[in-house]
């Protein structure tokens, strides 16, 4: 697996320099490759591009040089773009100057609009003359807000109502941060060069990027690897290779015996959804251990699963008396999933801690299984077994809070999702799946992965229970904890995206995610075969 790295502008500059100095790929060559890749991407994204009267707005830096080079390569595709440079043509330097000269030799007209008056004349005609603007004004190296003529151009372009594609980054954003420092282009699509950058992935800047397309520009993979970047993007092209493949002579025992400890009186649905999702993710056998009063209700939810009714508290959740029964069930299990619907009752929490302290089974811990360790995270380690935690920000905050100290808040977790997940995974030798928009997966090594699938419709009760089942089902089929975590969060989000495409985000419920898991896995299989 060769992960897609998420870079800062500074890291990208060093990689560019390494490509030239260590691998002999000249900057002018990279710019040529960038122009060709962007031209090809535009042609794919806009099949009617030749009729759209494309306007390319260029600045005097390398981003503008990429835009001019794109115009050259578009011409070879039969697309004649109008190029406007917000500077005198003799202001271009380095690779941009080289490709300016090449464009002029090829007969491409570069209009100069170096003043507000000249630009105003161009801007006034955009709505009636053009249906698409390629933003090649400012690149990833911007420090602070856009000012002067570039700021005016950004505001004017946004005000035209014409669709905008951004070259590498929407002008006005910084390649080093997720914030929006000032006026910035609102793009329908962003064509990122070589690798995604911080603002492509993280909000609020990501909302201005529209649909993200990452294109190769000829940078050697070794030049990227040498940067030792620890932030990665989970994308379909990599996940398709992880989907389990079944042998012709296999049987149900080959695909994992999953034991889910979940459910309680009035909360049987959470365990049922986890079980159904595990089965839909390929698990061979699924058993749910639940409180005795919840068992009859739970058994009617998913007919393919097995259930075990165990001793319960007066309130209908699992009691500590269930411990011997659970240990017996665990002897014939391959994976343990704990938490969906078990309640936060202290007796049940004590049962969770007792059971997990005495097992070497791989564990997926969710919901009140995580809350059982609130203020006691030091008791949780993954050194001797696989441990995957799937908290939402509130559960993560409770896990980090310590008795006698000011409680950690969900807002504090949200303010540094990557840092929080990385630190916890390292300290506790576990795989931390921090749920939410752009779910974060952190592994004990310190590598962090950001999920690219999913949508706001998945912010609904039970969605996390479905993820627990998916992760347990994939672990049971022999995937490594990292592979199960990455594929699990991606296919969970993809199923949500497919459901949203049919039902919309408002009406989406957790069962829809389960129902679309087969389509999600099938899409990955077809992507792998393509």
């Amino acid at each position: 697996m060769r992960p897609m790295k998420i870079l800062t502008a500074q890291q990208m500059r060093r990689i560019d320099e390494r490509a030239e100095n260590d691998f002999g790929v000249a900057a002018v060559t990279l710019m040529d490759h960038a122009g060709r890749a962007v031209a090809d991407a535009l042609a794919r994204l806009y099949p009617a591009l030749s009729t759209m009267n494309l306007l390319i707005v260029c600045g005097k830096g390398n981003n503008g040089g990429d835009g001019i080079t794109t115009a050259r390569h578009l011409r070879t595709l039969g697309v004649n773009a109008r190029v406007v440079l917000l500077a005198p043509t003799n202001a271009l330097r380095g690779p941009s100057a080289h490709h300016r000269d090449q464009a002029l030799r090829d007969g491409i007209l570069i209009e100069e609009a170096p003043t507000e008056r000249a630009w105003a004349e161009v801007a006034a005609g955009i709505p009636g003359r053009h249906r698409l603007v390629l933003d090649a004004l400012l690149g990833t190296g911007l420090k602070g807000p856009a000012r002067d003529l570039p700021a005016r151009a950004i505001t004017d372009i946004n005000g035209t109502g014409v669709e905008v594609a951004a070259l590498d980054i929407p002008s006005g954003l910084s390649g080093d941060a997720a914030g929006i420092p000032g006026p910035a282009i609102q793009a329908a699509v962003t064509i990122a060069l070589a690798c995604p950058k911080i603002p492509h992935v993280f909000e609020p800047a990501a909302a201005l990027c529209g649909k993200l397309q990452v294109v190769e520009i000829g940078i050697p993979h070794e030049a990227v690897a040498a940067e030792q970047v620890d932030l990665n993007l989970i994308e379909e092209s990599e996940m398709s290779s992880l989907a389990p493949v079944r042998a012709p002579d296999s049987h149900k025992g080959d695909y994992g015996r999953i034991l889910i400890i979940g459910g309680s009186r009035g909360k049987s649905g959470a365990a049922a959804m986890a079980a159904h999702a595990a089965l839909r993710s390929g698990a061979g056998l699924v058993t749910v251990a639940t409180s005795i009063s919840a068992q009859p209700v739970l058994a009617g939810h998913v007919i393919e699963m097995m259930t075990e009714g165990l001793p319960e508290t007066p309130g209908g959740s699992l009691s500590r008396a269930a411990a011997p029964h659970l240990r017996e069930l665990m002897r014939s299990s391959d994976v343990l999933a704990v938490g969906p619907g078990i309640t936060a009752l202290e007796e049940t929490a004590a049962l969770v801690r007792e059971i997990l302290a005495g097992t070497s089974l791989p564990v997926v811990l969710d919901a009140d299984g995580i809350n059982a360790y609130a203020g006691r995270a030091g008791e949780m380690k993954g050194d001797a077994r696989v441990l995957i935690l799937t908290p939402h920000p509130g559960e993560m905050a409770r896990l980090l809070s310590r008795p006698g100290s000011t409680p950690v808040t969900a807002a504090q977790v949200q303010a540094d999702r990557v840092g929080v997940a990385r630190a916890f995974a390292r300290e506790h030798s576990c795989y931390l799946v921090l749920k939410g928009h752009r779910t974060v997966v952190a592994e004990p090594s310190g590598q962090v992965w950001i999920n690219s699938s999913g949508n706001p419709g998945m912010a609904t009760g039970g969605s996390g229970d479905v993820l627990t089942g998916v992760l347990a089902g994939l672990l049971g089929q022999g995937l490594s904890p990292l592979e199960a975590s990455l594929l699990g969060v991606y296919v969970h989000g993809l199923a949500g995206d497919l459901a949203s495409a049919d039902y919309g985000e408002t009406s989406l419920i957790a069962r829809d995610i389960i129902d679309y898991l087969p389509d999600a896995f099938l899409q990955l299989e077809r992507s792998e075969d393509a």
Side-chain angles (χ1 to χ4, degrees):
M1 185 168 58
R2 181 179 287 158
M4 177 73 76
K5 297 295 182 179
I6 303 170
L7 306 177
T8 64
Q10 184 179 27
Q11 288 169 332
M12 190 70 246
R13 282 193 296 272
R14 288 198 295 262
I15 290 169
D16 284 340
E17 292 169 359
R18 190 176 295 116
E20 182 165 21
N21 298 332
D22 298 347
F23 296 93
V25 184
V28 292
T29 302
L30 286 178
M31 187 170 284
D32 184 65
H33 290 171
R36 180 182 293 111
V38 172
D40 290 342
L42 287 170
R44 289 193 304 271
L45 291 164
Y46 300 97
L49 186 62
S50 61
T51 67
M52 297 179 75
N53 294 324
L54 172 64
L55 169 65
I56 304 178
V57 181
C58 301
K60 64 180 181 180
N62 285 340
N63 197 243
D66 292 332
I68 291 170
T69 311
T70 298
R72 287 180 46 236
H73 288 288
L74 282 172
R75 176 168 288 191
T76 67
L77 300 177
V79 178
N80 291 312
R82 179 188 181 193
V83 180
V84 173
L85 175 66
L86 269 63
T89 55
N90 61 12
L92 300 180
R93 298 287 184 269
S96 296
H98 172 89
H99 287 288
R100 170 205 62 200
D101 295 343
Q102 184 63 55
L104 293 173
R105 284 194 295 271
D106 289 347
I108 292 176
L109 174 65
I110 302 176
E111 299 178 41
E112 296 181 356
T115 66
E116 290 210 4
R117 180 177 179 180
W119 164 252
E121 293 180 4
V122 173
I126 291 175
R129 181 174 177 182
H130 303 285
R131 290 169 51 203
L132 180 66
V133 174
L134 178 63
D135 162 34
L137 185 55
L138 301 172
T140 59
L142 181 67
K143 304 296 183 184
R147 303 181 190 279
D148 304 324
L149 182 55
R152 168 72 183 275
I154 289 168
T155 302
D156 289 344
I157 291 170
N158 284 340
T160 65
V162 173
E163 185 161 321
V164 181
L167 198 163
D168 202 21
I169 188 173
S171 291
L173 298 181
S174 166
D176 289 318
I180 303 174
I185 286 290
Q186 174 66 70
V189 62
T190 296
I191 303 171
L193 305 181
C195 294
K197 319 303 184 300
I198 295 294
H200 295 144
V201 178
F202 297 104
E203 301 295 352
L208 298 183
C209 294
K211 182 179 180 180
L212 181 65
Q213 297 278 305
V214 181
V215 295
E216 289 277 355
I217 62 171
I219 293 177
H221 293 295
E222 295 82 359
V224 178
E227 191 63 23
Q228 298 184 331
V229 178
D230 59 10
L231 196 57
N232 312 276
L233 185 66
I234 304 173
E235 54 175 354
E236 183 166 317
S237 60
E238 293 295 333
M239 293 305 99
S240 60
S241 65
L242 298 182
V245 177
R246 300 201 166 209
D249 61 347
S250 58
H251 58 84
K252 60 189 177 185
D254 294 329
Y255 301 109
R257 296 172 172 86
I258 313 301
L259 176 62
I260 298 173
I261 302 176
S264 58
R265 189 185 306 157
K267 295 185 176 181
S268 60
M273 285 187 286
H276 197 176
L279 289 163
R280 281 297 192 192
S281 299
L285 292 162
V286 176
T287 300
V288 177
T290 191
S291 60
I292 189 67
S293 62
Q295 183 193 18
V297 179
L298 186 61
H301 280 296
V302 184
I303 61 175
E304 295 89 351
M305 72 179 176
M306 296 172 285
T307 59
E308 291 284 343
L310 303 180
E312 63 181 22
T313 67
S317 60
L318 287 169
S319 75
R320 294 196 74 171
H325 305 270
L326 287 172
R327 292 192 188 96
E328 184 62 31
L329 290 169
M330 288 159 62
R331 290 191 183 96
S332 58
S333 302
D334 300 313
V335 175
L336 189 61
V338 183
I342 62 172
T343 79
L345 187 71
E346 177 50 37
E347 181 176 351
T348 306
L351 171 68
V352 169
R353 294 191 296 270
E354 178 184 344
I355 289 298
L356 295 192
T359 183
S360 60
L361 285 175
V363 174
V364 180
L365 195 61
D366 182 35
D368 283 326
I370 293 172
N371 289 332
Y373 291 89
R376 316 173 66 137
E379 299 176 24
M380 184 188 302
K381 288 283 187 180
D383 300 289
R385 47 112 186 274
V386 170
L387 179 60
I388 300 177
L389 274 66
T390 63
H392 58 55
E395 291 161 351
M396 190 75 241
R398 289 190 285 274
L399 198 56
L400 293 173
S401 297
R402 298 180 179 179
S405 300
T406 302
V408 176
T409 66
Q412 289 172 309
V413 172
Q414 289 292 80
D416 186 19
R417 287 169 57 81
V418 169
V420 165
R422 178 187 285 123
F424 193 92
R426 277 176 165 165
E427 182 178 352
H428 297 272
S429 301
C430 67
Y431 294 81
L432 197 287
V433 177
L434 182 55
K435 295 182 291 196
H437 177 61
R438 298 297 194 206
T439 290
V440 176
V441 177
E443 53 178 309
S445 69
Q447 289 286 321
V448 174
W449 306 70
I450 309 299
N451 190 35
S452 61
S453 65
N455 64 82
M458 299 175 70
T460 183
S463 179
D465 303 311
V466 175
L467 177 60
T468 296
V470 173
L471 294 172
L474 293 174
L475 274 179
Q477 293 170 80
L479 273 70
S480 73
L482 177 61
E483 292 171 339
S485 297
L486 299 182
L487 179 58
V489 299
Y490 185 82
V491 78
H492 177 256
L494 178 57
D497 290 339
L498 295 172
S500 175
D502 283 345
Y503 297 136
E505 294 178 353
T506 301
S507 296
L508 196 153
I509 59 176
R511 280 182 296 168
D512 299 329
I513 302 173
I514 297 173
D515 290 343
Y516 278 81
L517 283 172
D519 295 302
F521 279 107
L522 187 60
Q523 180 169 314
L524 290 180
E525 291 174 15
R526 288 171 174 168
S527 177
E528 172 69 4
D529 293 339

